[in-house]
Short mmCIF file of all heavy atoms in Angstrom, two decimals:
data_model
loop_
_atom_site.label_atom_id
_atom_site.label_comp_id
_atom_site.label_asym_id
_atom_site.label_seq_id
_atom_site.Cartn_x
_atom_site.Cartn_y
_atom_site.Cartn_z
N MET A 174 0.86 -1.18 0.03
CA MET A 174 0.03 0.01 -0.02
C MET A 174 0.91 1.31 0.05
O MET A 174 1.63 1.45 0.94
CB MET A 174 -0.92 -0.02 1.19
CG MET A 174 -1.80 1.08 1.46
SD MET A 174 -3.35 1.16 0.40
CE MET A 174 -4.24 -0.15 0.98
N PRO A 175 0.83 2.06 -1.05
CA PRO A 175 1.69 3.28 -1.09
C PRO A 175 1.18 4.40 -0.18
O PRO A 175 -0.08 4.48 0.18
CB PRO A 175 1.62 3.75 -2.49
CG PRO A 175 0.35 3.14 -3.03
CD PRO A 175 0.05 1.86 -2.24
N THR A 176 2.06 5.24 0.29
CA THR A 176 1.66 6.31 1.18
C THR A 176 1.57 7.64 0.38
O THR A 176 2.16 7.69 -0.70
CB THR A 176 2.63 6.50 2.31
OG1 THR A 176 3.89 6.67 1.80
CG2 THR A 176 2.77 5.24 3.19
N HIS A 177 0.86 8.57 0.96
CA HIS A 177 0.82 9.89 0.29
C HIS A 177 1.83 10.81 0.81
O HIS A 177 1.61 11.67 1.70
CB HIS A 177 -0.63 10.56 0.56
CG HIS A 177 -1.74 9.66 -0.07
ND1 HIS A 177 -1.99 9.72 -1.35
CD2 HIS A 177 -2.58 8.87 0.41
CE1 HIS A 177 -3.04 9.01 -1.67
NE2 HIS A 177 -3.39 8.36 -0.59
N GLY A 178 3.08 10.66 0.38
CA GLY A 178 4.18 11.53 0.80
C GLY A 178 4.76 11.02 2.07
O GLY A 178 4.28 10.39 2.79
N SER A 179 6.16 11.40 2.21
CA SER A 179 6.87 10.87 3.25
C SER A 179 6.84 11.86 4.42
O SER A 179 6.48 13.02 4.30
CB SER A 179 8.31 10.72 2.81
OG SER A 179 8.89 11.93 2.56
N MET A 180 7.17 11.33 5.64
CA MET A 180 7.10 12.17 6.82
C MET A 180 8.19 13.21 6.85
O MET A 180 8.21 14.21 7.56
CB MET A 180 7.29 11.23 8.05
CG MET A 180 6.01 10.40 8.36
SD MET A 180 4.51 11.40 8.58
CE MET A 180 4.88 12.23 9.93
N THR A 181 9.30 13.06 5.98
CA THR A 181 10.30 14.11 5.93
C THR A 181 9.82 15.38 5.28
O THR A 181 10.43 16.40 5.50
CB THR A 181 11.58 13.52 5.21
OG1 THR A 181 11.12 13.11 3.95
CG2 THR A 181 12.15 12.28 5.89
N LYS A 182 8.78 15.21 4.46
CA LYS A 182 8.27 16.39 3.78
C LYS A 182 7.07 17.06 4.52
O LYS A 182 6.51 17.98 4.02
CB LYS A 182 7.79 15.98 2.38
CG LYS A 182 8.95 15.47 1.39
CD LYS A 182 8.40 15.13 0.15
CE LYS A 182 9.51 14.65 -0.79
NZ LYS A 182 9.00 14.30 -2.11
N ALA A 183 6.62 16.49 5.59
CA ALA A 183 5.48 16.96 6.26
C ALA A 183 5.66 18.41 6.81
O ALA A 183 6.64 18.77 7.46
CB ALA A 183 5.20 16.01 7.54
N GLY A 184 4.71 19.25 6.45
CA GLY A 184 4.74 20.67 6.89
C GLY A 184 5.52 21.63 6.12
O GLY A 184 5.67 22.80 6.52
N LYS A 185 6.25 21.17 5.17
CA LYS A 185 7.25 22.05 4.43
C LYS A 185 6.54 23.13 3.63
O LYS A 185 7.00 24.33 3.63
CB LYS A 185 8.17 21.26 3.50
CG LYS A 185 8.99 20.28 4.27
CD LYS A 185 10.34 20.84 4.62
CE LYS A 185 11.01 19.98 5.65
NZ LYS A 185 11.91 18.94 5.00
N VAL A 186 5.37 22.82 2.99
CA VAL A 186 4.80 23.84 2.16
C VAL A 186 4.17 24.95 2.96
O VAL A 186 4.30 26.06 2.66
CB VAL A 186 3.62 23.15 1.34
CG1 VAL A 186 2.84 24.04 0.60
CG2 VAL A 186 4.21 22.12 0.37
N ARG A 187 3.50 24.60 4.03
CA ARG A 187 2.83 25.61 4.90
C ARG A 187 3.92 26.47 5.53
O ARG A 187 3.73 27.71 5.66
CB ARG A 187 2.08 24.90 6.03
CG ARG A 187 1.32 25.91 6.82
CD ARG A 187 0.36 25.25 7.80
NE ARG A 187 -0.35 26.26 8.51
CZ ARG A 187 -1.29 26.01 9.43
NH1 ARG A 187 -1.70 24.77 9.59
NH2 ARG A 187 -1.88 27.02 10.04
N LYS A 188 5.03 25.94 5.98
CA LYS A 188 6.06 26.86 6.48
C LYS A 188 6.72 27.72 5.48
O LYS A 188 7.22 28.80 5.77
CB LYS A 188 7.16 25.97 7.12
CG LYS A 188 6.67 25.23 8.47
CD LYS A 188 7.68 24.32 9.00
CE LYS A 188 7.18 23.45 10.16
NZ LYS A 188 8.08 22.56 10.64
N ALA A 189 6.73 27.26 4.26
CA ALA A 189 7.34 28.10 3.09
C ALA A 189 6.52 29.15 2.59
O ALA A 189 6.94 30.09 1.91
CB ALA A 189 7.86 27.22 2.00
N THR A 190 5.24 29.08 2.87
CA THR A 190 4.21 30.00 2.30
C THR A 190 4.22 31.36 3.16
O THR A 190 4.29 31.23 4.29
CB THR A 190 2.85 29.47 2.40
OG1 THR A 190 2.77 28.18 1.81
CG2 THR A 190 1.82 30.39 1.76
N PRO A 191 4.36 32.52 2.48
CA PRO A 191 4.43 33.82 3.22
C PRO A 191 3.11 34.03 3.91
O PRO A 191 2.03 33.76 3.42
CB PRO A 191 4.67 34.84 2.10
CG PRO A 191 4.31 34.10 0.84
CD PRO A 191 4.48 32.69 1.07
N LYS A 192 3.18 34.66 5.08
CA LYS A 192 2.08 35.04 5.90
C LYS A 192 1.37 36.29 5.26
O LYS A 192 2.05 37.28 5.05
CB LYS A 192 2.51 35.35 7.34
CG LYS A 192 1.41 35.80 8.26
CD LYS A 192 0.48 34.63 8.64
CE LYS A 192 -0.44 35.11 9.57
NZ LYS A 192 -1.65 34.22 9.65
N ILE A 193 0.08 36.19 5.01
CA ILE A 193 -0.70 37.33 4.46
C ILE A 193 -1.67 37.86 5.62
O ILE A 193 -2.42 37.02 6.15
CB ILE A 193 -1.50 36.87 3.18
CG1 ILE A 193 -0.54 36.42 2.08
CG2 ILE A 193 -2.39 38.01 2.69
CD1 ILE A 193 -1.16 35.80 0.98
N GLU A 194 -1.67 39.09 5.78
CA GLU A 194 -2.53 39.66 6.84
C GLU A 194 -4.02 39.56 6.37
O GLU A 194 -4.30 39.81 5.19
CB GLU A 194 -2.23 41.13 7.11
CG GLU A 194 -0.78 41.36 7.74
CD GLU A 194 -0.76 40.68 9.18
OE1 GLU A 194 -1.65 40.78 9.95
OE2 GLU A 194 0.25 40.02 9.44
N PRO A 195 -4.91 39.25 7.29
CA PRO A 195 -6.38 39.27 6.93
C PRO A 195 -6.96 40.59 6.54
O PRO A 195 -6.48 41.65 7.16
CB PRO A 195 -7.00 38.66 8.08
CG PRO A 195 -6.13 38.87 9.22
CD PRO A 195 -4.77 38.97 8.69
N LYS A 196 -7.81 40.66 5.60
CA LYS A 196 -8.56 41.91 5.25
C LYS A 196 -9.53 42.30 6.28
O LYS A 196 -10.09 41.32 6.92
CB LYS A 196 -9.17 41.77 3.90
CG LYS A 196 -8.18 41.55 2.74
CD LYS A 196 -8.95 41.44 1.40
CE LYS A 196 -8.05 41.19 0.27
NZ LYS A 196 -8.74 40.94 -0.90
N GLY A 197 -9.77 43.55 6.52
CA GLY A 197 -10.77 44.01 7.47
C GLY A 197 -12.14 43.64 6.90
O GLY A 197 -12.38 43.55 5.79
N LYS A 198 -13.13 43.59 7.86
CA LYS A 198 -14.47 43.40 7.55
C LYS A 198 -15.08 44.61 6.82
O LYS A 198 -14.81 45.72 7.28
CB LYS A 198 -15.31 42.99 8.74
CG LYS A 198 -15.19 41.62 9.22
CD LYS A 198 -16.23 41.37 10.34
CE LYS A 198 -16.49 39.97 10.62
NZ LYS A 198 -17.48 39.74 11.63
N LYS A 199 -15.95 44.46 5.82
CA LYS A 199 -16.52 45.53 5.12
C LYS A 199 -17.87 45.88 5.66
O LYS A 199 -18.20 47.04 5.78
CB LYS A 199 -16.60 45.16 3.69
CG LYS A 199 -15.29 45.11 2.95
CD LYS A 199 -15.50 44.73 1.42
CE LYS A 199 -14.23 44.50 0.73
NZ LYS A 199 -14.34 44.07 -0.60
N ASN A 200 -18.63 44.83 6.05
CA ASN A 200 -19.95 45.08 6.55
C ASN A 200 -20.07 44.70 8.04
O ASN A 200 -19.20 43.92 8.58
CB ASN A 200 -20.86 44.15 5.76
CG ASN A 200 -20.96 44.41 4.31
OD1 ASN A 200 -20.75 45.60 3.96
ND2 ASN A 200 -21.10 43.42 3.53
N LEU A 201 -21.11 45.25 8.71
CA LEU A 201 -21.35 44.79 10.08
C LEU A 201 -21.91 43.41 10.08
O LEU A 201 -22.46 42.90 9.13
CB LEU A 201 -22.38 45.87 10.67
CG LEU A 201 -21.98 47.29 10.82
CD1 LEU A 201 -23.21 48.10 11.21
CD2 LEU A 201 -20.87 47.49 11.80
N SER A 202 -21.77 42.74 11.29
CA SER A 202 -22.39 41.57 11.47
C SER A 202 -23.90 41.66 11.41
O SER A 202 -24.46 42.74 11.84
CB SER A 202 -21.90 40.75 12.78
OG SER A 202 -22.24 41.53 13.86
N PRO A 203 -24.66 40.56 11.09
CA PRO A 203 -26.13 40.73 10.89
C PRO A 203 -26.81 41.14 12.22
O PRO A 203 -27.73 41.96 12.17
CB PRO A 203 -26.54 39.32 10.49
CG PRO A 203 -25.35 38.76 9.86
CD PRO A 203 -24.12 39.38 10.43
N ARG A 204 -26.27 40.67 13.31
CA ARG A 204 -26.80 41.01 14.65
C ARG A 204 -26.88 42.56 14.91
O ARG A 204 -27.84 43.20 15.27
CB ARG A 204 -26.24 40.16 15.81
CG ARG A 204 -26.73 40.31 17.10
CD ARG A 204 -26.19 39.36 18.07
NE ARG A 204 -26.50 39.77 19.41
CZ ARG A 204 -25.80 40.64 20.19
NH1 ARG A 204 -24.71 41.17 19.78
NH2 ARG A 204 -26.21 40.93 21.38
N ILE A 205 -25.74 43.07 14.72
CA ILE A 205 -25.50 44.55 14.93
C ILE A 205 -26.27 45.37 13.87
O ILE A 205 -26.94 46.36 14.25
CB ILE A 205 -24.00 44.90 14.89
CG1 ILE A 205 -23.30 44.12 16.06
CG2 ILE A 205 -23.79 46.37 14.99
CD1 ILE A 205 -21.81 44.21 16.06
N LYS A 206 -26.27 44.96 12.64
CA LYS A 206 -26.91 45.60 11.61
C LYS A 206 -28.47 45.67 11.82
O LYS A 206 -29.18 46.67 11.79
CB LYS A 206 -26.66 44.95 10.21
CG LYS A 206 -27.28 45.71 9.10
CD LYS A 206 -26.86 45.07 7.72
CE LYS A 206 -27.48 45.71 6.61
NZ LYS A 206 -27.19 45.01 5.36
N ASN A 207 -29.05 44.50 12.29
CA ASN A 207 -30.49 44.42 12.55
C ASN A 207 -30.80 45.28 13.73
O ASN A 207 -31.84 45.93 13.80
CB ASN A 207 -30.89 42.96 12.92
CG ASN A 207 -30.92 42.15 11.63
OD1 ASN A 207 -30.96 42.69 10.39
ND2 ASN A 207 -30.68 40.89 11.73
N ARG A 208 -29.96 45.36 14.78
CA ARG A 208 -30.18 46.18 15.96
C ARG A 208 -30.26 47.65 15.59
O ARG A 208 -31.08 48.49 15.92
CB ARG A 208 -29.08 45.93 17.02
CG ARG A 208 -29.19 46.74 18.25
CD ARG A 208 -30.45 46.25 19.06
NE ARG A 208 -30.64 47.18 20.18
CZ ARG A 208 -31.76 47.35 20.91
NH1 ARG A 208 -32.76 46.65 20.58
NH2 ARG A 208 -31.89 48.15 21.84
N LYS A 209 -29.34 48.17 14.66
CA LYS A 209 -29.33 49.50 14.28
C LYS A 209 -30.58 49.82 13.53
O LYS A 209 -31.14 50.92 13.57
CB LYS A 209 -28.05 49.80 13.39
CG LYS A 209 -26.74 49.90 14.26
CD LYS A 209 -25.61 50.45 13.52
CE LYS A 209 -24.53 50.78 14.43
NZ LYS A 209 -23.37 51.43 13.73
N GLU A 210 -30.93 48.96 12.61
CA GLU A 210 -32.21 49.20 11.86
C GLU A 210 -33.45 49.22 12.70
O GLU A 210 -34.32 50.05 12.50
CB GLU A 210 -32.43 48.05 10.75
CG GLU A 210 -31.46 48.14 9.63
CD GLU A 210 -31.57 47.02 8.69
OE1 GLU A 210 -32.48 46.18 8.85
OE2 GLU A 210 -30.76 46.90 7.82
N TYR A 211 -33.47 48.39 13.73
CA TYR A 211 -34.60 48.42 14.81
C TYR A 211 -34.63 49.73 15.41
O TYR A 211 -35.70 50.32 15.62
CB TYR A 211 -34.42 47.31 15.71
CG TYR A 211 -35.34 47.33 16.82
CD1 TYR A 211 -36.61 46.93 16.74
CD2 TYR A 211 -35.03 47.89 18.09
CE1 TYR A 211 -37.59 46.97 17.70
CE2 TYR A 211 -35.95 47.93 19.15
CZ TYR A 211 -37.21 47.48 19.00
OH TYR A 211 -38.13 47.54 19.98
N ILE A 212 -33.48 50.21 15.89
CA ILE A 212 -33.44 51.45 16.60
C ILE A 212 -33.88 52.65 15.66
O ILE A 212 -34.80 53.49 16.06
CB ILE A 212 -32.04 51.78 17.11
CG1 ILE A 212 -31.71 50.86 18.29
CG2 ILE A 212 -31.89 53.24 17.52
CD1 ILE A 212 -30.28 50.84 18.71
N LYS A 213 -33.49 52.68 14.44
CA LYS A 213 -33.85 53.64 13.51
C LYS A 213 -35.36 53.68 13.15
O LYS A 213 -36.02 54.62 13.09
CB LYS A 213 -33.05 53.52 12.16
CG LYS A 213 -33.23 54.58 11.15
CD LYS A 213 -32.76 54.31 9.80
CE LYS A 213 -31.38 53.70 9.76
NZ LYS A 213 -30.93 53.54 8.36
N ARG A 214 -35.91 52.45 12.99
CA ARG A 214 -37.32 52.18 12.51
C ARG A 214 -38.24 52.43 13.70
O ARG A 214 -39.26 53.01 13.56
CB ARG A 214 -37.42 50.84 11.94
CG ARG A 214 -38.73 50.59 11.17
CD ARG A 214 -38.67 49.31 10.45
NE ARG A 214 -38.35 48.23 11.37
CZ ARG A 214 -37.23 47.43 11.16
NH1 ARG A 214 -36.47 47.64 10.27
NH2 ARG A 214 -36.97 46.44 12.07
N VAL A 215 -38.01 51.71 14.86
CA VAL A 215 -39.01 51.64 15.90
C VAL A 215 -38.74 52.67 16.98
O VAL A 215 -39.73 53.49 17.35
CB VAL A 215 -38.97 50.19 16.56
CG1 VAL A 215 -40.05 50.15 17.66
CG2 VAL A 215 -39.25 49.19 15.54
N GLU A 216 -37.58 52.73 17.63
CA GLU A 216 -37.44 53.59 18.79
C GLU A 216 -37.43 55.15 18.34
O GLU A 216 -38.00 55.89 19.13
CB GLU A 216 -36.07 53.28 19.47
CG GLU A 216 -36.13 51.89 20.09
CD GLU A 216 -34.83 51.53 20.81
OE1 GLU A 216 -33.92 52.33 20.96
OE2 GLU A 216 -34.76 50.36 21.35
N LYS A 217 -36.91 55.51 17.20
CA LYS A 217 -36.94 56.88 16.81
C LYS A 217 -38.33 57.25 16.50
O LYS A 217 -38.73 58.36 16.72
CB LYS A 217 -35.95 57.09 15.76
CG LYS A 217 -34.53 57.11 16.19
CD LYS A 217 -33.59 57.57 15.05
CE LYS A 217 -32.13 57.59 15.56
NZ LYS A 217 -31.18 57.87 14.52
N ALA A 218 -39.13 56.38 15.85
CA ALA A 218 -40.48 56.64 15.52
C ALA A 218 -41.37 56.85 16.81
O ALA A 218 -42.26 57.72 16.90
CB ALA A 218 -41.10 55.48 14.83
N GLU A 219 -41.14 56.07 17.88
CA GLU A 219 -41.78 56.25 19.16
C GLU A 219 -41.48 57.55 19.75
O GLU A 219 -42.36 58.22 20.34
CB GLU A 219 -41.45 55.20 20.09
CG GLU A 219 -42.07 53.88 19.79
CD GLU A 219 -41.71 52.71 20.75
OE1 GLU A 219 -40.98 52.95 21.68
OE2 GLU A 219 -42.12 51.59 20.49
N LYS A 220 -40.26 58.04 19.73
CA LYS A 220 -39.78 59.41 20.21
C LYS A 220 -40.52 60.50 19.49
O LYS A 220 -40.92 61.51 20.05
CB LYS A 220 -38.26 59.55 20.23
CG LYS A 220 -37.58 58.76 21.23
CD LYS A 220 -36.10 58.94 21.18
CE LYS A 220 -35.37 58.12 22.18
NZ LYS A 220 -33.86 58.35 22.08
N ALA A 221 -40.57 60.37 18.13
CA ALA A 221 -41.25 61.42 17.34
C ALA A 221 -42.70 61.49 17.61
O ALA A 221 -43.28 62.59 17.65
CB ALA A 221 -41.02 61.04 15.91
N ARG A 222 -43.40 60.38 17.97
CA ARG A 222 -44.82 60.38 18.33
C ARG A 222 -45.04 61.04 19.68
O ARG A 222 -46.12 61.72 19.89
CB ARG A 222 -45.32 58.96 18.41
CG ARG A 222 -46.25 58.66 17.26
CD ARG A 222 -46.92 57.26 17.42
NE ARG A 222 -46.28 56.37 16.62
CZ ARG A 222 -46.06 55.05 16.85
NH1 ARG A 222 -46.52 54.54 17.92
NH2 ARG A 222 -45.43 54.31 16.07
N SER A 223 -44.20 60.84 20.59
CA SER A 223 -44.33 61.41 21.95
C SER A 223 -44.17 62.94 22.07
O SER A 223 -43.58 63.68 21.33
CB SER A 223 -43.29 60.84 22.92
OG SER A 223 -43.36 59.45 22.87
#
């Protein structure tokens, strides 16, 4: 039964790959976005009525 690569080569590719910094998030997470929409739609409307 042949093996998929030898143990001497284990981890070489990952160590040789340059580290790339993650990009920042463009949008808010859904929970925060929904909360802001709720405040805009419901709470501000209640204040305007009062």
Side-chain angles (χ1 to χ4, degrees):
M174 178 77 68
T176 60
H177 295 283
S179 65
M180 289 303 294
T181 57
K182 294 180 181 178
K185 297 271 168 85
V186 173
R187 185 170 180 177
K188 290 176 186 173
T190 308
K192 178 73 175 161
I193 300 170
E194 293 299 318
K196 295 179 181 177
K198 281 188 164 184
K199 293 179 183 175
N200 300 327
L201 296 172
S202 62
R204 184 174 169 268
I205 296 170
K206 186 177 178 184
N207 290 338
R208 180 70 186 158
K209 284 190 172 187
E210 287 177 4
Y211 171 81
I212 290 170
K213 190 192 315 181
R214 191 174 55 243
V215 178
E216 293 183 4
K217 288 187 178 178
E219 286 179 4
K220 286 183 183 178
R222 251 189 258 148
S223 306

